[in-house]
């Protein structure tokens, strides 16, 4: 089976840095994805890590440690528009298994 | 490019009724997926397809059927709707390539909000 754990809620101040952690247990692992979803909207892709290390895309970075079954999403220079839910998802080759999401609230 | 579109956007069904949700993508993607999302939950995979004419079960397939007769379309059917199927349904598609991290991106449709009374 597969399971993912991520914090249910995080609050951070505008302009700050926040890290959202994700730990996973899975029988088949090809990579870890991160998606953002605003209320009432569709998920949108942020990043994918197949190998250990850091992937950087603008203000967002994602890290993976396969040996620790652990990853995180790092959001820098937080903006109010970053308030959303963030999901980590394990790539099982042909499909994704999603965590239950972390609701990020950015406050002024 | 319209991307991924879903029809309808909203629907209310009575218990026991049937319906089909249509997903269409214009990106020539090989892989297509149907998910459901319940309040406060992540997305759970119902069925998926890795190419025209193929389908496979996901995490929660019971009560649903799918068909992929054309590459650009992926249909999700509910034969006898139940209140437990009240949810938001998302369709997604993805290219088959594995060339870079962005190759793994799934593109999601806007969702169908289904209520079964």
């Amino acid at each position: 089976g597969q399971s993912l754990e991520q914090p249910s809620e995080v609050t951070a101040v505008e302009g700050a840095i926040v890290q959202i952690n994700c730990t996973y247990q899975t029988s088949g692992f090809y990579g870890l994805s991160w998606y953002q979803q605003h209320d009432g909207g569709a998920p949108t892709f942020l990043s994918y890590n197949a190998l250990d290390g850091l992937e950087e895309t603008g203000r967002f970075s994602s890290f993976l440690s396969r040996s620790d079954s652990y990853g995180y999403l790092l959001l820098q220079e937080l903006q109010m528009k970053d308030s959303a839910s963030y999901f980590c998802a394990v790539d099982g080759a042909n499909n994704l298994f999603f965590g239950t999401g972390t609701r990020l609230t950015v406050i002024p | 490019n319209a991307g991924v579109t879903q029809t309808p956007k909203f629907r209310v069904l009575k218990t026991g009724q049937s319906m089909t949700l249509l997903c269409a993508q214009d990106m020539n993607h090989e892989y297509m997926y149907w998910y459901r999302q319940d309040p406060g939950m992540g997305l759970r995979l119902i069925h998926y397809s890795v190419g025209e004419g193929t389908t496979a079960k996901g995490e929660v397939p019971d009560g649903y059927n799918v068909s992929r007769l054309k590459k650009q379309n992926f249909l999700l059917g509910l034969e006898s709707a139940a209140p437990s199927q009240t949810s938001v349904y998302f369709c997604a598609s993805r290219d088959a390539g594995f060339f870079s991290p962005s190759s793994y991106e799934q593109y999601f449709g806007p969702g169908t909000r289904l209520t079964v009374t």
Side-chain angles (χ1 to χ4, degrees):
Chain A
Q2 292 164 315
S3 69
L4 291 91
E5 285 193 20
Q6 51 182 129
S8 58
E9 294 182 350
V10 172
T11 300
V13 177
E14 189 177 15
I17 300 173
V18 71
Q19 178 173 313
I20 299 173
N21 298 322
C22 174
T23 57
Y24 60 88
Q25 289 184 317
T26 179
S27 54
F29 180 85
Y30 289 82
L32 190 70
S33 293
W34 288 92
Y35 283 78
Q36 178 192 60
Q37 185 179 31
H38 287 98
D39 286 347
T44 56
F45 175 81
L46 293 176
S47 68
Y48 182 87
N49 293 71
L51 304 174
D52 286 1
L54 196 67
E55 290 279 345
E56 297 181 77
T57 308
R59 294 188 295 116
F60 294 0
S61 303
S62 57
F63 172 82
L64 176 65
S65 169
R66 295 174 71 112
S67 60
D68 294 325
S69 297
Y70 165 75
Y72 66 73
L73 180 69
L74 192 72
L75 296 82
Q76 303 182 70
E77 301 173 13
L78 280 173
Q79 301 175 8
M80 300 300 291
K81 67 178 182 180
D82 296 329
S83 290
S85 292
Y86 293 84
F87 296 89
C88 59
V90 167
D91 181 3
N94 289 328
N95 52 57
L96 289 179
F97 183 86
F98 282 81
T100 54
T102 299
R103 186 171 187 88
L104 170 65
T105 302
V106 180
I107 57 176
Chain B
N1 277 357
V4 180
T5 58
Q6 293 183 231
T7 310
K9 288 185 171 51
F10 303 92
R11 185 73 186 267
V12 178
L13 286 180
K14 295 189 177 182
T15 297
Q17 288 185 319
S18 64
M19 78 164 293
T20 300
L21 283 68
L22 171 64
C23 176
Q25 53 95 4
D26 61 2
M27 296 173 282
N28 201 35
H29 285 168
E30 289 292 336
Y31 295 180
M32 296 187 75
Y33 309 84
W34 275 108
Y35 295 92
R36 61 175 288 172
Q37 186 175 33
D38 301 303
M41 299 285 289
L43 292 97
R44 291 185 292 169
L45 183 65
I46 304 171
H47 287 279
Y48 65 98
S49 168
V50 298
E52 182 178 314
T54 75
T55 63
K57 294 181 180 179
E59 186 186 355
V60 289
D62 294 342
Y64 305 95
N65 57 75
V66 288
S67 65
R68 183 98 181 268
L69 298 180
K70 292 183 178 181
K71 185 177 183 178
Q72 64 267 34
N73 294 338
F74 196 28
L75 278 63
L76 177 71
L78 286 73
E79 291 183 347
S80 179
S84 61
Q85 294 178 304
T86 294
S87 190
V88 180
Y89 292 85
F90 287 101
C91 175
S93 71
R94 202 198 89 179
D95 199 2
F98 299 93
F99 308 113
S100 67
S102 62
S103 302
Y104 297 87
E105 176 176 359
Q106 288 193 13
Y107 295 80
F108 283 81
T112 295
R113 190 172 298 272
L114 175 66
T115 302
V116 183
T117 62

